[in-house]
Amino acid sequence: MKVDFYQLSRDPVEKVVAGIARKVRQDDGRLLVVSADEDQRKAISKALWTAAPEEFLANGAYDAPHPNRQPILISDNADPANGAKLAIIADGTWREDAAALHRVLLMFGEAQTQDARTLWRGFDARKDVERRIFKQTPEGRWTEGG
């Protein structure tokens, strides 16, 4: 399993999720977006539908009909009912069931930095986890490393 830590410092999570989702969908991939916060899930869905005037990123909720058909599934749990191998944890809270996915992107803000560091160290003993960290530049690009 690969876990990429994304330290949010400039853009809100819904904008970052929309940018990543656009790249995933360009390759016809499927994505699972996880957050326990209902308001955050709604904001992410709206950002996906309105990503740019000439495009939209179709998405649906886990508890709506036919979650398996959704190219981007938004949920409060890490069950990839749509067959996604990639998940974004948008609320910054690790869920152990996400470990069943091939790759997980953990988004976290300043208030969650200590929790992210603790999780990073907790992965030290796990041989099945490959970790990377990405930080956002003032221009909005993402760079790997600390």
Side-chain angles (χ1 to χ4, degrees):
M1 168 186 58
K2 296 178 184 179
V3 180
D4 294 340
F5 289 70
Y6 276 74
Q7 185 173 9
L8 303 172
S9 59
R10 183 192 131 163
D11 294 328
V13 70
E14 59 269 13
K15 182 175 180 180
V16 175
V17 169
I20 293 169
R22 185 178 298 113
K23 290 179 182 179
V24 170
R25 292 301 301 146
Q26 284 173 349
D27 293 333
D28 213 23
R30 290 181 168 255
L31 177 64
L32 172 63
V33 180
V34 181
S35 175
D37 183 330
E38 184 177 358
D39 290 337
Q40 185 178 55
R41 291 193 308 269
K42 288 177 182 177
I44 290 168
S45 179
K46 182 178 179 182
L48 292 168
W49 283 112
T50 60
E54 68 281 354
E55 74 173 334
F56 64 90
L57 297 165
N59 65 89
Y62 181 85
D63 57 357
H66 311 294
N68 59 317
R69 296 182 186 172
Q70 297 300 329
I72 302 171
L73 184 61
I74 302 175
S75 181
D76 63 353
N77 68 74
D79 174 21
N82 65 341
K85 294 184 180 358
L86 171 65
I88 296 175
I89 297 179
D91 63 8
T93 302
W94 178 255
R95 293 145 175 86
E96 194 54 40
D97 55 347
L101 291 139
H102 176 71
R103 186 173 175 207
V104 179
L105 283 56
L106 178 72
M107 306 285 160
F108 67 97
E110 186 177 331
Q112 298 159 311
T113 300
Q114 190 56 47
D115 290 340
R117 286 181 181 149
T118 300
L119 179 62
W120 179 276
R121 286 189 300 270
F123 283 147
D124 281 345
R126 292 183 62 172
K127 304 293 184 210
D128 63 331
V129 178
E130 178 183 325
R131 304 165 295 184
R132 299 183 302 174
I133 187 160
F134 292 88
K135 294 185 179 182
Q136 198 170 28
T137 67
E139 300 79 30
R141 297 187 188 271
W142 291 93
T143 59
E144 185 178 353

